[in-house]
């Protein structure tokens, strides 16, 4: 089932008549164009190292864009804290600083493995090792509850053993980073990473692939389909590591969800799209030969290109009321979409987004033209670690795609 690129016409319908030229379609994708962004790549990488990495190697989330530090409890008092945490939480700042930390940490690690593979720079692999070490420390703290539990590290590594929360968003990006880095790890570390990947698969399978969210809602693959972004690849990894067919047999549970994605039935949301594209591509790479996954990647890519604006931002919601730098998730997805469907010119759009977004202090969850507003807390005043990580991931994935 091929994926065909179709532009939106002035009438707002998908057709080929009078289709306007989109700004990104003028971009010339080339190694030369990417190398012109080398100063910006260094600046963004240095920004992460200077401002966004905590003392244990975790990347902060929702960082205060004015202070370039994590939010404090005092600063957060005037905000609506949902959905990150409810108002009875003892320290909201510890939640905000680490809500999406594992996802940002995993993406930064993956980008640096790619940088090493493109440049041979040992510093890049050393950087990735720092973040991988932090992810493993969260695993060890989660093991105080049960081996294979990778919690959201609220309060940092010193306190995350008390966290009851996990999410597929965080876990798929960590798993991808571990698997990518593992190729260059010493034998003992490879073995340990394998051990914890299998434990993660066991943790999910033992619970019938459900988990609580905010201790008030039970997440299932059926009511939160993006959960399979971690379940497909972790089960395939566990199967490849152990040879136990129980992991592969468990995949049957998700057939209907995969069908829906291949049919284009999914929520429009940059982060959810990035998770699904990552998870599907990852599972394919682990040997899951299912044409539906490739079709879904193409459908997800095309559905989200319509949300990209000519100024390099994107509509973060289907109502098109809020603009966000989170559109940079598309840059991280672009090389994957291009791998399966080169006629979509995905890397052109990815490069366009890198070119239009070069100041990490403006990589906000919500980008407002006027005064910041209280969108679910201080989103319009917070650095989006997903945008920062996606910029670097997109850059190095695109550079890697040009290596013979």
């Amino acid at each position: 089932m091929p994926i065909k690129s179709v532009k939106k016409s002035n009438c707002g319908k998908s057709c080929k008549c009078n289709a306007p030229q989109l700004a990104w379609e003028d971009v010339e994708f080339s190694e030369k164009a990417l190398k012109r962004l080398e100063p910006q790549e260094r600046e963004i990488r240095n920004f992460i190292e200077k401002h966004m990495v905590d003392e244990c190697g975790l990347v902060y989330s929702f960082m205060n864009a004015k202070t370039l530090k994590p939010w404090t409890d005092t600063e957060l008092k005037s905000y609506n804290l949902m959905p990150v945490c409810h108002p009875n939480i003892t320290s909201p700042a510890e939640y905000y600083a680490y809500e999406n930390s594992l996802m940002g940490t995993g993406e930064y690690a993956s980008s640096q493995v790619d940088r090493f593979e493109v440049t041979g720079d040992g510093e890049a692999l050393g950087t990735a090792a720092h973040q991988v070490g932090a992810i493993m420390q969260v695993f060890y703290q989660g093991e105080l509850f049960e081996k294979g539990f990778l919690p959201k590290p609220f309060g940092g590594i010193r306190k995350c053993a008390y966290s009851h929360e996990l999410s597929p968003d965080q876990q798929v990006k960590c798993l991808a980073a571990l698997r990518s880095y593992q190729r260059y790890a010493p034998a003992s570390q490879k073995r340990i990473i394998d051990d914890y990947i299998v434990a993660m698969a066991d943790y999910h399978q033992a619970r019938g692939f459900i988990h609580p969210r905010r201790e008030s809602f039970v997440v299932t693959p059926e009511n939160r389909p993006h959960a399979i972004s971690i379940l497909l690849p972790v089960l395939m990894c566990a199967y490849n590591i152990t040879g136990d067919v129980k992991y592969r047999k468990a995949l049957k549970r998700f057939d209907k969800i995969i069908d829906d994605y291949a049919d284009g039935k999914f929520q429009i949301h940059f982060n959810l799209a990035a998770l699904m594209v990552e998870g599907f591509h990852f599972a394919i790479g682990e040997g899951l030969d299912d044409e539906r996954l490739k079709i879904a990647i193409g459908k997800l890519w095309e559905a989200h290109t319509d949300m990209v604006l000519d100024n390099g931002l994107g509509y973060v919601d289907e109502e098109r009321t809020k603009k966000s730098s989170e559109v940079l998730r598309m840059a991280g997805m672009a090389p994957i979409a291009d791998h399966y469907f080169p006629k979509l010119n995905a890397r052109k759009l990815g490069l366009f987004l890198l070119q239009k977004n070069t100041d990490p202090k403006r990589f906000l969850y919500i980008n407002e033209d006027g005064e910041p507003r209280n969108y679910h807390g201080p989103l319009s005043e917070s650095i989006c670690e997903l945008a920062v990580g996606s910029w670097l991931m997109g850059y190095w994935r695109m550079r890697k795609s040009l290596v013979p």
Side-chain angles (χ1 to χ4, degrees), residues 60 105 122 124 131 203 244 275 291 297 300-301 324 362 366:
Y60 289 125
T105 303
Q131 273 63 62
Y203 181 90
D244 193 330
L275 301 178
E291 190 66 20
I297 288 171
L300 282 158
W301 175 262
S324 174
R362 292 293 302 156
I366 299 295

Side-chain angles (χ1 to χ4, degrees), residues 119-384:
T119 66
D121 187 344
E123 183 197 26
L125 197 58
T127 301
H130 191 202
Q131 273 63 62
V132 165
I135 293 168
M136 293 306 297
Q137 285 294 327
V138 178
F139 258 130
Y140 304 150
Q141 293 301 311
E143 193 173 351
L144 295 176
F145 171 57
E146 184 179 323
K147 189 172 183 178
F149 176 50
L150 185 68
K152 288 189 179 183
F154 296 138
I157 285 173
R158 292 180 179 84
K159 294 186 178 181
C160 71
Y162 303 106
S163 174
H164 302 172
E165 196 78 16
L166 65 83
S167 73
D169 316 43
Q170 318 299 314
Q171 294 201 347
V172 65
K173 293 297 185 175
C174 287
L175 182 63
L178 293 176
R179 207 61 164 158
S180 179
Y181 173 79
Q182 194 179 26
R183 296 193 292 269
Y184 306 102
S188 58
Q189 193 177 24
K190 287 179 181 176
R191 171 177 49 80
I192 292 166
I193 290 173
D194 274 352
D195 193 28
Y196 279 85
I197 289 174
V198 174
M200 179 189 276
D202 289 341
Y203 181 90
H204 285 290
Q205 193 162 21
R207 288 160 175 77
F209 307 110
I210 67 174
H211 66 269
R213 180 181 185 272
R214 308 285 190 240
E215 300 182 48
S216 62
F217 178 79
V218 176
V219 172
T220 73
E222 289 73 28
N223 65 28
R224 288 293 186 272
H226 72 284
I228 71 169
S229 65
I230 179 62
L231 299 177
L232 297 186
V234 78
L235 288 168
M236 284 302 300
C237 286
Y239 169 71
N240 289 330
I241 292 166
T242 67
D244 193 330
V245 295
K246 74 175 183 180
Y247 299 111
R248 186 147 194 151
K249 286 182 177 179
L251 297 171
K252 189 70 177 173
R253 161 81 179 271
F254 315 118
D255 264 348
K256 175 61 170 64
I257 300 169
I258 297 172
D259 281 341
D260 284 344
Y261 274 94
D263 289 339
K265 299 173 184 176
F266 44 73
Q267 182 182 353
I268 300 297
H269 188 285
F270 290 126
N271 184 49
L272 295 182
L275 301 178
M276 300 312 298
V277 167
E278 189 81 43
F280 290 162
H281 177 61
F282 192 170
I284 292 168
E286 290 290 334
L288 184 54
D289 186 12
D290 188 331
E291 190 66 20
R292 295 174 300 171
L293 302 183
K294 299 175 186 178
I295 293 170
I297 288 171
K299 292 282 184 71
L300 282 158
W301 175 262
E302 285 214 301
H304 288 80
T305 58
D306 191 44
M307 305 295 281
V308 178
L309 298 166
D310 284 350
N311 65 357
L313 296 177
Y315 288 116
V316 76
D317 56 351
E318 293 185 71
E319 291 75 29
R320 299 173 184 249
T321 58
K322 297 184 283 291
K323 302 169 186 176
S324 174
S325 298
E326 202 169 328
V327 69
L328 280 163
R329 302 302 266 164
M330 297 285 284
M333 289 188 271
I336 296 175
D338 182 82
H339 174 74
Y340 296 108
F341 304 101
K343 290 184 179 179
L344 293 181
N345 290 316
R347 291 183 303 177
K348 274 192 173 188
L349 176 51
L351 177 57
F352 167 80
L353 292 172
L354 299 186
Q355 292 170 337
K356 285 288 187 178
N357 297 278
T358 56
D359 181 1
K361 295 187 292 297
R362 292 293 302 156
F363 289 8
L364 306 178
Y365 266 94
I366 299 295
N367 292 74
E368 290 293 339
D369 298 326
E371 287 297 313
R373 303 177 203 171
N374 189 353
Y375 291 121
H376 296 303
L379 295 191
S380 58
E381 301 167 75
S382 296
I383 300 290
C384 179

Side-chain angles (χ1 to χ4, degrees), residues 70-78 81 89-95:
W71 290 90
T72 66
D73 288 330
T74 300
E75 291 168 340
L76 289 171
K77 278 184 178 179
S78 62
L81 301 179
I89 291 297
T90 304
S91 177
E94 292 182 343
Y95 275 64

